[in-house]
Amino acid sequence: MSSTSVESFPRQHARTRRFTCGVPRDVRVSDDGARVLFLRSSTGDDPVHALWCLDVVTGVERVVADPRDPSLAPAVGSGPEGSVPAEELARRERARESGSGIVAYDAPADLSRACFVLDGRVWLAEVGDPGRVVELPSTGDAFDPRLSPDGASVAYVSGASLRITGAGGDRHVIGGSAAASSTVSWGSADFVAAEEMGRGRGYWWSPDGRRLLVTRVDVSPVGQWWIASPVDPSAPPRAVRYPAAGTTNAEVGLFLVDPSATDPEGVTVAVDWRRDDGFEYLAHVAWSESAPLLAVQSRDQRTLAVLEVDPANGSTAEVHRITDSDWVDLVPGTPVRWARGPEEAGVLATVEAHDGTYRLCREGEPISPLGLQVRSVVGPDGDGNLVVLASSDPLDVDVVRIALDGTVTPIASASSAGVGAGAGGVHGAAVGGGTVAVRSSTMEGSSTRVLPAGHVLDDRSEAPSVDAAPTFHVVGDRDLQAAVLVPADHDGSPLPVLLDPYGGPHAQRVQRARSQYLISQWFADRGFAVVVADGRGTPGRGPDWDRAVKGDLAGPVLDDQVDALHALSDTDPRLDLARVAVRGWSFSGYLAALAVLRRPDVFHAAVAGAPVTEWRLYDTHYTERYLGHPDVEAESYRASGLCDASDWAARGGGGHPDRPLLLVHGLADDNVVMAHTLALSRALLEAGRPHRVLPLSGVTHMTPQESVAENLLRLQLDFLAGALGMEPRPE
């Protein structure tokens, strides 16, 4: 990794896009294990990504396509993102993509070719050495390109339609006709699929390349909201279709399409995925060698069915069903057909909750051991095993092989060779033909190793200017995982405390990965004792732990933060409980506001960024999983909301109405809309509670702008230091 001249951490953190620039990402391994494709920018502060290839035999890396190459330069556009289609920008927001250049690509299993889009134009790259990159004819507003299995054609989405381009030219496939409704689109994922279900795409090639499975999304039933830009009163507000909790979702259809037909729209075959069961969500689609495989969910998410599609007529047969009294989890990479070899149809592999553990199941029967929490399935390794990501300790995510008989073999874990006994860390993987590319994030840093060859992909990211040094603890009656950070040279005297959690579903903070603690350490070095704790509802500890927040996203989450703080202070005199603050963004922004409103006896100040304050204003799939339908579970919504002043007093929050609270929100946020912060601000004002509101013009939920990211850290430090009566240490 390269170094940089001395500068402030907030500036470095923003300039390097949270230290993601220069890091190899989106790694794929060919089906014969001979080559690895990946994206990487040139330096630690360069956001423009190029496509690279590693030859596994020689260990040589070479660039396949660079947006700054003169032959591709016209595709970069005149502005930083001025020519990127609106649909692609929306896809990047759902994917939390902050880079530019080649930010996504597709390739057949042998990785001989790859396609990508630059500024709405389609490009095809030959990966061989020497390779070549050519532009294919397109409409100029392309996004989400996908190569046919033979590598000869590229399908892509253009506006509301699906098109195919290649040597024979660019042609329309389906959707976007003059008679089509403005609310109907083909080939794109609907909002909740992309934001909450992990399905960011809306079409799939058949293995022989002769047909496509394509979604048809009609958003006409979905409520229309408006997002304005107050800094430009002349600009019209932007309309968005937002499926708020309790309201109607988009109508999602699935169709078999023959792309060679003269008029594909006249010969589409509807897939009966809703069946008589009335399934609401199309959660997963995969077209294996035998037949398309679907995972579909009921509206209450208590039932998930695995369906196999007959490609001849679109009928479906249910091959497996999972039910749960609370909800059925969507596990990345599943369901999947698992075969010993290419000639086998394969058994069905799923991940299901059994006996307090998320276990890998073969035809519904658990085979992985109790206590090993399977988080996702990477894929087959070519030798009849599945490579999965799993945790035996919630602080770590390991890469392991699981055989058909359930035998587990570590690839990258705390005890595996090459990582170091007891080192732990958070690992990810890509697999093909016996080669596994392992991404490791540990307390020492990060790297990507290609096994068994042992090559390490060149990582050009910058070394952080802070040295994160958390100590790890297990505290309280519920064995809460926690980390504590203090100034590097601290003398042991009492320090004001800053809680820096996420605290809710889908995200952990307490892991053995340095990147989790860089901002926390910067706050610690300014004079805080920073506490990071994972409570009930956070991942890594199994289904019972996850389901402890069912019907109440406030009580268990807040109680665990308080319990962790008090348990740590019992043995650590450096934690001054007379000066306690909390900060967060998104769910943790909600948690920060919740803390000072309900427990002002514990928390003395808070910064709440983009908080969900009224759960009826958040989306269907996420919110109803935990709180149910608002028409049925109204009390769950009331108990978990923040905008009822009488609720603050009833729960002990009426005694300290002067706790400083800063609300920060991006005006362009289409995930947690600005209405959340405005609703809470109104309730605070009506209750006579002082607070501050900082609106961020043109900022979305992921705050990608460098100046915003840098100055938000400084502003939070100044606000919290002033609220607690402390003088921050100089940087």
Side-chain angles (χ1 to χ4, degrees), residues 486-487 490 493-497 527-529 573-577 579 729:
V486 298
H490 185 56
S493 59
L495 293 166
V497 181
F528 291 94
R574 297 172 298 181
L575 274 58
D576 181 0
L577 297 190
R579 297 178 292 168
R729 292 185 175 194

Side-chain angles (χ1 to χ4, degrees), residues 31 49 71 183 219 242 245 284 330 336 350 353 387 403 426 439 491 509 544 559 561 581 603 659 670 678:
D31 56 2
H49 289 78
S71 64
T183 64
V219 297
Y242 194 91
H284 177 80
L330 299 178
V336 64
T350 55
V387 174
V426 176
R439 176 69 182 171
D491 60 6
R509 285 293 321 278
D544 297 339
D559 289 347
Q561 294 298 315
F603 298 96
R659 297 307 194 205
D670 65 355
L678 295 177

